[in-house]
């Protein structure tokens, strides 16, 4: 056992658990993983689900996303969270803010209120599109184009978009692209407002170039 990630589902008070195992697959994980699974199954009042990420590498990254590296051992495949004005579905492989209460109370409304009413919006590094979908609902954006390099997002994004009201649900789209790929594909060409919430490594060089080369007043940046 290398790492444990625990995420709280606020509406039920249960936790989604991910264990990172130093083995290549379930067969080579040994009996201890089976025993751990059986023990956790005895607490359905507390445990929402248990997944394992097989990470046999010697690198310091917590997760690996290599083919076959994830396995749901027990419980539902995703958690449900209403954040702001939209509902989102979190698989263990999708990034989630550590403090959703603070994020929902502070960052989400601040960004949404900063988007001009009726604007065409692009969100890079979107994850599930928490900021973009809330902007679509609050600002009645003409369109919101979300993109992220995590392929697991595309399977649940449509469900989140469907939680928006009226025509707003039809004004949001998702593409499985990195920030650099989204720029190359022209995602920002018609955008009047750009939302960026990058990972810890910061903005990609391609994004910085776009922002620095923009004419004054042509784009609103949140």
């Amino acid at each position: 056992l290398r790492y444990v990630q625990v995420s709280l589902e606020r509406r039920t008070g249960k936790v989604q658990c991910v264990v990172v195992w130093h083995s290549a697959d379930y067969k080579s994980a040994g009996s201890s993983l089976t025993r751990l699974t059986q023990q956790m199954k005895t607490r359905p009042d507390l445990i929402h689900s248990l997944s394992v990420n097989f990470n046999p590498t010697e690198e310091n990254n917590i997760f690996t996303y290599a083919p076959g590296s994830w396995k749901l051992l027990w419980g539902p495949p995703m958690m449900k969270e209403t954040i702001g004005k939209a509902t989102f579905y979190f698989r263990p492989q999708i990034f989630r803010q550590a403090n959703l209460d603070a994020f929902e109370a502070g960052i989400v409304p601040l960004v949404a209120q900063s988007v001009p009413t009726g604007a065409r919006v692009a969100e890079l590094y979107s994850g599930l599109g928490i900021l973009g979908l809330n902007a679509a609902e609050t600002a009645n954006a003409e369109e919101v184009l979300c993109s992220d390099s995590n392929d697991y997002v595309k399977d649940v994004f449509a469900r989140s978009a469907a939680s928006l009201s009226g025509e707003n649900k039809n004004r949001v789209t998702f593409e499985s692209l990195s920030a650099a790929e989204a720029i190359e594909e022209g995602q920002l060409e018609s955008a009047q407002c750009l939302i960026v919430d990058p990972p810890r490594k910061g903005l990609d060089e391609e994004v910085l170039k776009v922002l620095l080369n923009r004419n004054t007043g042509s784009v609103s940046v949140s």
Side-chain angles (χ1 to χ4, degrees):
L1 177 63
R2 297 180 63 170
Y3 303 100
V4 178
Q5 175 179 276
V6 178
S7 302
L8 174 70
E9 186 177 53
R10 295 181 296 175
R11 67 188 182 90
T12 63
K14 297 183 180 182
V15 291
Q16 178 191 69
C17 295
V18 180
V19 292
V20 181
W21 218 260
H22 190 71
S23 63
D25 51 36
Y26 187 79
K27 184 177 180 180
S28 60
S31 60
S32 55
L33 179 56
T34 302
R35 292 198 302 271
L36 176 62
T37 303
Q38 293 302 320
Q39 284 186 316
M40 296 185 76
K41 283 171 123 179
T42 65
R43 292 298 309 272
D45 59 314
L46 174 64
I47 308 298
H48 169 277
S49 58
L50 175 64
S51 297
V52 60
N53 179 241
F54 299 108
N55 187 355
T57 69
E58 300 301 328
E59 300 175 1
N60 64 356
N61 57 303
I62 295 177
F63 295 135
T64 179
Y65 290 87
S69 60
W70 289 87
K71 183 177 179 62
L72 176 65
L73 298 175
W74 172 68
M78 64 189 77
M79 291 191 306
K80 180 179 178 181
E81 286 284 353
T82 297
I83 306 170
K85 297 180 178 296
T87 300
F88 301 90
Y89 299 85
F90 288 91
R91 293 186 180 278
Q93 302 89 347
I94 297 174
F95 173 78
R96 189 186 112 137
Q97 295 288 340
N99 190 337
L100 273 184
D101 289 344
F103 186 68
E104 181 179 30
I107 302 300
V108 171
L110 177 63
V111 172
Q113 292 162 14
S114 299
V115 174
T117 301
R120 296 189 300 275
V121 180
E123 182 182 7
L124 304 178
Y125 316 98
S126 70
L128 286 174
I130 295 174
L131 297 174
L133 267 61
N134 273 281
E137 193 77 346
T138 301
N140 288 316
E142 180 179 331
E143 64 176 354
V144 177
L145 307 177
C146 297
S147 60
D148 194 276
S149 58
N150 188 339
D151 287 335
Y152 287 96
V153 172
K154 63 184 178 183
D155 293 333
V156 294
F157 185 87
R159 293 184 64 179
S160 299
S163 70
L164 299 178
S165 64
E167 285 300 310
N168 287 332
K169 61 173 62 74
N170 301 318
R171 295 171 179 163
V172 296
T173 57
F174 175 82
E175 291 187 85
S176 185
L177 299 169
S178 68
E181 290 169 338
I183 291 172
E184 185 177 348
E185 293 288 329
Q187 191 179 63
L188 306 189
E189 289 179 1
S190 63
Q192 298 166 307
C193 181
L194 174 61
I195 300 174
V196 289
D197 184 14
R200 282 177 292 177
K201 69 177 184 178
L203 295 171
D204 287 284
E205 183 178 349
E206 293 84 352
V207 181
L208 286 171
K209 286 181 179 179
V210 168
L211 295 177
L212 292 174
N213 289 335
R214 287 285 189 180
N215 294 325
T216 302
S218 64
V219 65
S220 171
V221 182
S222 297

